[in-house]
Amino acid sequence: MAYLALTKPRVIELLLVTTAPVMVLAERGIPSLWLLAFTLIGGALSAGSANTFNSYIDRDIDKDMGRTSSRPLVTGEISSRQALVFAWSLGIASVALLWVTTNALAALLSLAAILFYVFVYTLWLKRRSEQNIIWGGIAGCFPVLIGWAAVTGDLSLEAWILFIVVFLWTPAHYWPLSMRYREDYSSVGVPMLAVVRGPREVSVQVILYAWATIVMSLLLIPIAPMGPLYWLAAVGGGAWFIIESHRLYARAIRGESDLQPMKVFHSSISYLTLLFLAVGVDPLLALIPGLPGY
C-alpha cells in the first residue's frame, strides 16, 4: 500500500477519467477492449511514475506540510532509493507497454508527460513561480492526447480542443485547493498563487479560467460534432462550476473568514467527470438510428 500511495492514486483516477472517453470519441464507437485496457494501464503507469518522482523530489517539503506529512517517504515506510527505482520502473514500463501495444506516438506522449511533470513543473516552476500550476498543469493534459493517439495514430483538432479544456480547467481546479492549504505552502516557501496574492485576486483568476474552460468545451460541439447530451453536460455542469466560482469571489469581497474554497474544488472535479462522461457516451448515442438530435 505504501508504494501505491507514492503514485497518488486519486490523481491517477482523475487522469484516466479523461482518457477512456476520448478513445471512444476517436473511434466513434467502442474501441478494442485490449487497446482500451493497455492504454489505461500504460497511462496509469505513466502518471504513477511522474507522481512518484514528484514525491521523491518534494520529500524535503512534504515533511513540513500537514497535508503531505503522512506520505511514505516522509514516514520512512519507503526509502528514497526504493522510491527512485520504483519511479524509473513505472516510467520505463509505461513507455514500453504503450510502444508495443498501441503505437510510438502514444508511447512518446507518455514519456513527454513524465518529463514535463518532473522537470518543468516539479524541478523548475513549483518552487519558483506563481505560474507553476498554469504551465506545470500541462502534464495533466497529456492523457487526452495519449488516448486519442492510441486509437488514431495522430492528433486531430478534437484532441487539441480537449487538451486545452483540461489545461484551462487545471488552475481553476487547483487554486481553490491552494487557498485551503495556503499556510502549508507558505510555510515551505512554495509560491502558489494563493500564497503571493490575496483571496480577491485569486478568486477572480478562478472565475476567468472557469469561464474560459466552458467556452473552450463548447467549441467541440461544431468540430466533433457533438450531440445534445454533450451540450447539456457542457452547459449544465459548466454552469455549476461557474456559479461556485462566483460564490467564492462573493465571499472574498465580503471578507468572510471561511471562504469555503473546497466547494469550487469539488465542483470542478464533478464538472470534468460529467463533461468527459458525455464525451464518451455522446458518440455511442449517435449510433442509435433515429435518435432525436443525432
Side-chain angles (χ1 to χ4, degrees):
M1 290 302 293
Y3 279 102
L4 180 63
L6 272 181
T7 67
K8 304 178 185 177
R10 295 296 297 274
V11 175
I12 294 176
E13 179 184 335
L14 189 59
L15 295 177
L16 296 184
V17 162
T18 65
T19 305
V22 167
M23 295 180 71
V24 175
L25 178 62
E27 183 69 31
R28 286 288 170 179
I30 302 295
S32 160
L33 295 183
W34 283 112
L35 179 65
L36 182 63
F38 284 129
T39 304
L40 292 178
I41 292 170
L45 292 172
S46 175
S49 172
N51 289 333
T52 302
F53 275 120
N54 174 267
S55 293
Y56 170 81
I57 294 166
D58 281 349
R59 65 194 186 281
D60 61 324
I61 60 176
D62 281 349
K63 63 182 175 57
D64 296 322
M65 297 173 61
R67 188 170 66 90
T68 57
S69 60
S70 62
R71 287 179 175 172
L73 278 168
V74 176
T75 62
E77 292 178 82
I78 294 176
S79 70
S80 297
R81 181 178 181 278
Q82 289 172 322
L84 200 55
V85 170
F86 184 56
W88 277 103
S89 300
L90 291 179
I92 293 170
S94 168
V95 176
L97 179 66
L98 290 172
W99 190 289
V100 171
T101 61
T102 61
N103 53 60
L105 178 57
L108 291 174
L109 287 168
S110 172
L111 176 60
I114 297 171
L115 295 176
F116 198 97
Y117 191 70
V118 173
F119 289 98
V120 177
Y121 173 65
T122 307
L123 288 173
W124 179 29
L125 291 174
K126 183 173 181 177
R127 306 192 196 192
R128 290 180 173 85
S129 172
E130 65 186 58
Q131 303 292 309
N132 49 19
I133 289 301
I134 297 177
W135 302 110
I138 289 176
C141 307
F142 274 91
V144 170
L145 302 184
I146 293 171
W148 190 277
V151 173
T152 67
D154 60 25
L155 296 174
S156 303
L157 181 58
E158 298 94 325
W160 287 111
I161 289 174
L162 289 170
F163 177 94
I164 297 172
V165 167
V166 180
F167 169 74
L168 294 170
W169 168 87
T170 301
H173 160 72
Y174 197 86
W175 280 333
L177 181 70
S178 70
M179 293 175 78
R180 168 67 178 81
Y181 294 101
R182 180 185 180 280
E183 296 304 322
D184 264 0
Y185 287 116
S186 178
S187 68
V188 294
V190 175
M192 291 296 177
L193 190 66
V195 173
V196 298
R197 307 288 178 180
R200 293 188 183 188
E201 186 171 347
V202 176
S203 57
V204 167
Q205 292 298 314
V206 170
I207 288 173
L208 293 175
Y209 274 90
W211 273 102
T213 302
I214 309 313
V215 171
M216 180 56 63
S217 72
L218 296 177
L219 291 181
L220 190 64
I221 295 175
I223 298 297
M226 305 300 287
L229 178 67
Y230 178 83
W231 188 92
L232 287 171
V235 174
W240 180 23
F241 186 17
I242 287 172
I243 288 170
E244 288 295 347
S245 300
H246 279 272
R247 285 175 175 169
L248 175 65
Y249 175 70
R251 289 190 290 270
I253 62 175
R254 288 195 299 265
E256 295 184 13
S257 57
D258 184 8
L259 295 176
Q260 303 177 56
M262 296 304 286
K263 286 188 175 182
V264 183
F265 177 78
H266 292 302
S267 70
S268 70
I269 294 175
S270 299
Y271 159 73
L272 195 74
T273 303
L274 181 64
L275 184 76
F276 274 86
L277 181 62
V279 166
V281 175
D282 198 89
L284 301 181
L285 294 179
L287 299 177
I288 302 174
L291 190 67
Y294 290 91

